[in-house]
Amino acid sequence: MTDPSTDTDFIQATSTSYDAIAPAYTDRHPDGLGHHPLERALLTAYAEQVREHTKAPVGDLGSGPGYVTARLHDLGVPVFGVDVSPRMVALAREAHPHLRFHVGTMTELDLPDETLGGITALYSIIHIPTDHLTAAFTEFRRVLVPGGHVLLSFQFQSRHADELIHLTERFGQDISLHYYLRTPETVTAHLKKAGFQTQAQVVREPLGEEKMARAFLLARKPL
């Protein structure tokens, strides 16, 4: 897979693109967990692990409309959302006024060292270029307490090779988004490079109108 993005321009492109599609995206996906019992079960198990280990908050990175943040809150986890798109953050605040959301990027978190008990990044690492992935996971490790957990999910098309898709239109809006469709093995390798211990991997096949498989990885910062 040839990676066309080797600097931080991808952050601005992702922010601008999701600003353009935020209202339509939120209308289409007000609760992306609603029809996916496996995702809900995995998030519930993750919340139980975090609660048992620490009372430190969870950062939901790439929080979008905020439905994952809200579900973690309902599961008794102190949580806040971070998204690169100001319009997404505004819509999440409107939908969930009792929760905290702010604009930021997962590649450079505005947080002190070892302050988070966990991180979720569901379908959001797909816009991080491969050249930046280990650095992003290293940033995750920096802000997590020892023993803190990371739950990732992402789409992929092949178990044998990484792929790259570039979209210039979504929901009738002009955008410029790169989708890095990496195998679970590739993502696991980058987690290992960043110092994480992978604890579980779950893969499910496409459902309904979905065209790509989904992978879920649970990893832990060593004690």
Side-chain angles (χ1 to χ4, degrees), residues 28-208:
R28 178 74 63 86
H29 304 288
D31 183 359
L33 301 171
H35 301 293
H36 296 296
L38 176 61
E39 278 90 330
R40 294 199 304 273
L42 290 171
L43 199 63
T44 298
Y46 169 82
E48 183 175 341
Q49 284 190 307
V50 171
R51 290 198 311 268
E52 287 181 352
H53 176 67
T54 179
K55 294 184 179 180
V58 166
D60 179 26
L61 309 184
S63 50
Y67 54 79
V68 172
T69 316
R71 190 169 292 270
L72 285 169
H73 172 77
D74 291 343
L75 291 168
V77 175
V79 61
F80 61 92
V82 179
D83 200 277
V84 74
S85 163
R87 291 193 75 186
M88 278 291 193
V89 167
L91 290 170
R93 288 171 175 167
E94 182 179 323
H96 310 285
H98 58 297
L99 297 178
R100 179 163 59 96
F101 297 90
H102 68 261
V103 178
T105 171
M106 66 180 69
T107 59
E108 191 173 350
L109 294 165
D110 186 18
L111 295 167
D113 295 353
E114 298 188 354
T115 52
L116 295 186
I119 285 173
T120 55
L122 304 190
Y123 305 113
S124 52
I125 66 168
I126 58 173
H127 300 303
I128 298 179
T130 300
D131 287 352
H132 291 261
L133 197 57
T134 295
F137 290 160
T138 300
E139 180 72 346
F140 290 10
R141 191 176 188 274
R142 178 186 69 81
V143 300
L144 283 170
V145 299
H149 289 86
V150 173
L151 179 64
L152 305 176
S153 66
F154 49 93
Q155 302 96 326
F156 68 99
Q157 293 200 123
S158 168
R159 290 304 299 257
H160 308 292
D162 299 340
E163 300 184 32
L164 174 63
I165 296 174
H166 180 233
L167 292 188
T168 58
E169 183 275 334
R170 254 190 109 181
F171 300 108
Q173 299 291 326
D174 293 333
I175 62 169
S176 180
L177 276 178
H178 286 93
Y179 292 76
Y180 297 86
L181 307 176
R182 290 171 283 245
T183 69
E185 290 71 25
T186 294
V187 178
T188 297
H190 283 274
L191 284 167
K192 184 177 180 179
K193 288 179 184 177
F196 282 98
Q197 301 167 338
T198 301
Q199 295 184 304
Q201 178 188 124
V202 176
V203 171
R204 74 161 172 82
E205 298 303 316
L207 297 174

